[in-house]
């Protein structure tokens, strides 16, 4: 049923006009506050035009007229006021005279006659297909893309009896041409406004004005440290505002805290989320990230280039992060289809591009990474895919616990080493690697020395870096939308998520998706025997006294100090940086802290937790394989066990499958009770492959192992000074060689 009707200006398509009576129809409620203040057009536009762009039938003319009235600004309809004035004939006549292909060129030339400022301009649906004309328009305009789903556009055009549009040749469907045009809208827009089904033209106009105000006011989206005592975006050092690009470049805040957006994350309406049904993973990522990253930091068109590259051919599954039914009410979110076969790829195929765009072009940066296994190879692979000019000024060193990762994980990291990347084994555990990196970051004397001596600045690619964490929100939102698409739930129905967690980043990303409007009921944290998070969520006591990290079959969660928990505590404490500072100083100095009761109760409203023994982990892998033929990795098995215990089965539960089982072949062979365990990692994978498992063996891992068995790496002692020597060696070998 067609729910929203506009008075469309579609002379390009048909002489049929929709009745003015449709203006008066009222539809479902608007989700945007009405733009009541008649603010000065100059104060909002600053000599720029608002240029409305979108497919035929998007309502550009109707919305443009409303905006013009609200701002007391001139309204220009390109069809009436530019094209027909230039040609001295109607658009339909011109189209008939020259044909579709020549029409686009003539239309672009005519658009060069547009000369205006502080006006509202409505483009034709085909204007964006001519580069010359659009470059002229962008010089003096803020281009706003009215993003209406193609299914809704087709309904509207059908109502108006329009069956063909410019550029639609014989044998080309309406859907095909609408999808084809999206590439041009992505190329030219500065702002996207999601036009959900049932929204009124008045509400769309209000959304446009709010979006333009955001675009013009970049200072409204500052970042603060979780330990900030000022409650503002002013840093203590230089009294300057921190923005997204600063958070990306610096990684860790100067006071040792983590960067968070001061005003929180944007909230999508249910209708806006439903606009993303049917969208690809990359398209969903683009829409979500546009709302989280101010265009002053990364313009939308540049962001799309990065997103399209990140979520393209590097993944073995075109759905990127598919959701698979496991059993009963349990679904698996498969996050292992990236090049290094873990969920870290979903962020680290994108994060290097964000980083390379944000950093000053004249500076060198060294990325420091602590890894419990999967992050290391994902970081090294992600940064290795940058263009050569970026690799010359960005280097990476990853530190991993020498005996705390699987053999395949180690071989992956070793094999990913290039001229600008290095993997170093440390004779200690992950917590030592992570705390050492934090000490190095907060040692201003040492970082100053690196800058003065080598012209090199340090940054991070762990989930302490906001650009590493933010892309993870996308797959939690996408998973929910996938269940809606599959008919498992209707939008608005709750789901639980169960996530194997050590550093709390994956869980935090799910919590962020919830705050942005995804109906997640509970986040269930699953731990192994290193279950400090489980105890904390149940009791409010974070206690490391007398605890030693225990190696397990699930090394990615062999973590005692969960860095991203700090961000969540900052959020539930309503941004109380003083309290967060007290808690983590207490943890550092006394090895524990106790959360006050009211905050514990708030924490437990969203979070549940339990842990899984090694025996139960292996038993779960065997049981699921026996009944379904599906092989879970050890981390997914932990989450499955915990979900079985805690989830009440009143709604679906999405279990994050964070790594491919191929990375943990010895444990999988043990779980499947296969007596013959081959000696080399490669032979172990071939043995597993002989069982025709579901999903298949990760081919990228087999290829990596074939290539990487002969490569070497370095090992250092558990001493922070030893780590700094490796840092300086890479700087000297890479940056000094390049320059």
């Amino acid at each position: 049923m067609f729910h929203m009707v506009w008075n469309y200006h579609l002379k390009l398509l048909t002489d049929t006009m929709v009745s003015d009576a449709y203006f008066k129809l009222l539809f479902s409620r608007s989700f945007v506050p009405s733009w009541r203040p008649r603010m000065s057009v100059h104060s909002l536009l600053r000599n720029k035009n608002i240029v409305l762009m979108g497919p035929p039938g998007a309502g550009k003319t109707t919305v443009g007229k409303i905006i013009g009235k609200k701002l007391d600004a001139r309204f220009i309809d390109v069809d009436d006021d530019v094209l027909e004035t230039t040609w001295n004939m109607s658009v339909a006549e011109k189209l008939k005279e020259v044909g579709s292909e020549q029409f686009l060129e003539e239309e672009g030339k005519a658009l060069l006659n547009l000369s205006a400022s502080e006006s509202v301009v409505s483009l034709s649906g085909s204007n964006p297909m001519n580069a010359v004309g659009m470059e002229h328009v962008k010089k003096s305009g803020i281009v706003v893309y009215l993003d209406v789903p193609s299914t809704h556009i087709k309904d509207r055009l059908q109502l108006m009896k329009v069956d063909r549009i410019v550029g639609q040749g014989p044998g080309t469907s309406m859907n095909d041409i609408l999808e084809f045009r999206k590439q041009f809208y992505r190329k030219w827009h500065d702002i996207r406004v999601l036009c959900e089904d049932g929204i009124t033209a008045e509400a769309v106009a209000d959304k446009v004005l709010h979006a333009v105000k955001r675009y013009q006011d970049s200072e409204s989206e500052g970042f603060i440290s979780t330990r900030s005592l000022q409650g503002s975006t002013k840093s203590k050092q230089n009294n300057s505002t921190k923005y997204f690009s600063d958070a990306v470049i610096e990684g860790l805040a100067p006071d040792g805290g983590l960067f968070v957006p001061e005003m929180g994350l944007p909230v999508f309406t249910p209708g806006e989320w439903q606009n993303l049904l049917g969208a690809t993973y990359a398209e969903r990522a683009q829409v979500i990230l546009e709302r989280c990253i101010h265009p002053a930091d990364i313009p939308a068109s540049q962001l799309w280039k990065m997103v399209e590259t990140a979520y393209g051919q590097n993944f073995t599954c075109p759905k990127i992060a598919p959701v698979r039914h496991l059993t009963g009410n349990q679904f698996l979110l498969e996050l292992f289809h990236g090049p290094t076969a873990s969920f870290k790829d979903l962020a680290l195929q994108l994060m290097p591009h964000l980083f390379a765009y944000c950093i000053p072009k004249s500076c060198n940066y060294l990325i420091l990474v602590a890894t419990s296994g999967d992050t290391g190879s994902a970081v090294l692979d992600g940064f290795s895919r940058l263009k050569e000019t970026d690799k010359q000024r960005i280097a990476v060193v990853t530190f991993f616990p020498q005996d705390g990762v699987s053999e395949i994980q180690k071989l992956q990291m070793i094999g990913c080493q290039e001229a600008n990347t290095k993997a170093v084994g440390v004779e200690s555990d992950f917590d030592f690697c992570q705390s050492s990196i934090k000490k190095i970051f907060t040692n201003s004397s040492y970082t100053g020395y690196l800058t003065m001596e080598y012209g090199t600045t340090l940054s991070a690619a762990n989930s302490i870096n906001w650009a590493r964490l933010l892309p993870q929100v996308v797959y939690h939102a996408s998973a929910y939308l996938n269940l809606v698409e599959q008919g498992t739930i209707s939008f608005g129905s709750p789901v639980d998520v169960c996530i194997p967690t050590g550093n709390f980043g994956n869980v935090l990303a799910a919590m962020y998706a919830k705050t942005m409007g995804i109906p997640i009921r509970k986040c269930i944290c699953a731990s192994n025997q290193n279950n400090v998070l489980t105890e904390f969520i149940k009791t409010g006591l974070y206690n490391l006294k007398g605890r030693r990290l225990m190696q397990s079959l699930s090394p990615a969660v062999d973590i005692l100090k969960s860095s991203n928990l700090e961000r969540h505590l900052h959020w539930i404490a309503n941004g109380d940086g003083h309290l967060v500072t007290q808690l983590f100083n207490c943890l550092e100095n006394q090895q524990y802290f106790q959360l006050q009761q009211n905050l514990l109760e708030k924490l437990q409203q969203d979070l549940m937790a339990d842990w899984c023994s090694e025996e139960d982990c292996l038993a779960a892998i065997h049981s699921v394989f026996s009944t379904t033929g599906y092989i879970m990795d050890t981390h997914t098995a932990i989450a499955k066990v915990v979900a079985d215990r805690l989830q009440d089965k009143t709604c679906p539960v999405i279990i994050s499958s964070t790594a491919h089982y191929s990375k943990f072949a010895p444990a999988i062979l043990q779980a499947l009770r296969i007596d013959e365990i081959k000696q080399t990692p490669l032979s172990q994978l071939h043995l597993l492959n002989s069982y025709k498992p579901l999903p298949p063996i990760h081919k990228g891992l087999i290829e990596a192992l074939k290539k990487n068995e002969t490569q070497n790496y370095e090992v250092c002692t558990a001493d922070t000074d030893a780590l700094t020597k490796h840092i300086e060696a890479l700087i000297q070998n890479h940056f000094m060689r390049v320059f």
Side-chain angles (χ1 to χ4, degrees), residues 190-209:
D190 298 304
I191 302 168
R192 181 195 307 262
V193 170
L194 295 174
C195 303
E196 59 263 48
D197 192 23
I199 192 172
T200 65
E202 180 83 20
V204 173
D206 287 338
K207 290 181 79 166
V208 169
L209 290 170

Side-chain angles (χ1 to χ4, degrees), residues 689-709:
N689 200 37
S690 68
Y691 284 78
K692 302 187 185 306
L694 184 71
I697 293 292
H698 196 286
K699 293 182 179 179
L701 286 178
I702 292 180
E703 293 171 1
L705 293 181
K706 287 179 179 178
K707 181 177 65 175
N708 301 335
E709 285 183 323

Side-chain angles (χ1 to χ4, degrees), residues 406-420:
S406 77
E407 192 64 25
I408 290 178
Q409 287 176 316
K410 187 182 297 185
L411 287 172
Q412 275 189 295
M413 285 184 276
I414 296 168
C416 286
Q417 294 180 114
E418 292 191 359
N420 69 321

Side-chain angles (χ1 to χ4, degrees), residues 667-683:
I668 302 303
L669 292 168
Q670 181 183 349
L672 300 184
R673 302 169 191 173
I674 298 173
D675 293 332
E676 180 192 5
I677 297 181
K678 301 292 185 180
Q679 295 303 306
T680 69
L682 189 58
S683 61

Side-chain angles (χ1 to χ4, degrees), residues 411-466:
L411 287 172
Q412 275 189 295
M413 285 184 276
I414 296 168
C416 286
Q417 294 180 114
E418 292 191 359
N420 69 321
T421 60
K422 185 176 184 180
V424 179
V426 181
E427 295 174 338
S428 188
D429 55 33
F430 170 78
D431 285 331
F432 171 82
C433 297
Q434 181 166 253
S435 61
S436 294
I437 284 180
K438 285 188 174 182
K439 287 178 182 176
I440 292 170
F441 268 115
T442 54
N443 184 341
S444 58
S445 297
Y446 183 68
T447 56
Y449 162 74
L450 293 180
T451 302
M452 293 295 295
E453 184 71 16
Y454 302 112
T456 299
T457 302
L458 299 181
S459 190
N462 287 78
S463 56
I464 60 175
N465 190 309
W466 183 252

Side-chain angles (χ1 to χ4, degrees), residues 683-728:
S683 61
Q684 291 166 358
L685 293 188
H686 284 307
L687 177 57
L688 274 175
N689 200 37
S690 68
Y691 284 78
K692 302 187 185 306
L694 184 71
I697 293 292
H698 196 286
K699 293 182 179 179
L701 286 178
I702 292 180
E703 293 171 1
L705 293 181
K706 287 179 179 178
K707 181 177 65 175
N708 301 335
E709 285 183 323
T710 60
Q711 294 202 29
N712 298 316
Y713 70 104
E714 297 178 6
V715 179
C716 74
T717 58
D719 179 75
T720 302
D721 289 340
L723 270 62
T724 61
K725 291 179 181 178
H726 284 278
I727 290 170
E728 292 173 42

Side-chain angles (χ1 to χ4, degrees), residues 499-563:
I499 302 170
T501 189
N503 219 20
F504 203 75
N506 205 350
V507 175
L508 183 62
M511 287 297 303
Y512 284 156
K514 178 176 181 175
T515 65
M516 293 175 71
I518 293 295
I520 295 172
R521 184 179 65 165
K522 291 281 189 179
C523 290
I524 304 171
C525 301
S527 304
N528 58 22
Q529 59 264 42
N530 296 296
N531 54 5
V532 64
L533 266 178
T534 297
E535 292 181 1
F536 172 69
I537 291 169
K538 289 182 175 181
T539 67
L541 176 64
Y542 203 106
N543 189 7
L544 299 180
K545 287 184 176 180
R547 294 200 66 146
R548 296 188 62 184
L549 194 73
M550 293 180 280
Q551 292 185 14
S552 76
L553 300 173
S554 47
V557 294
D558 286 348
I559 297 171
L560 294 180
K561 291 183 178 179
S562 300
S563 287

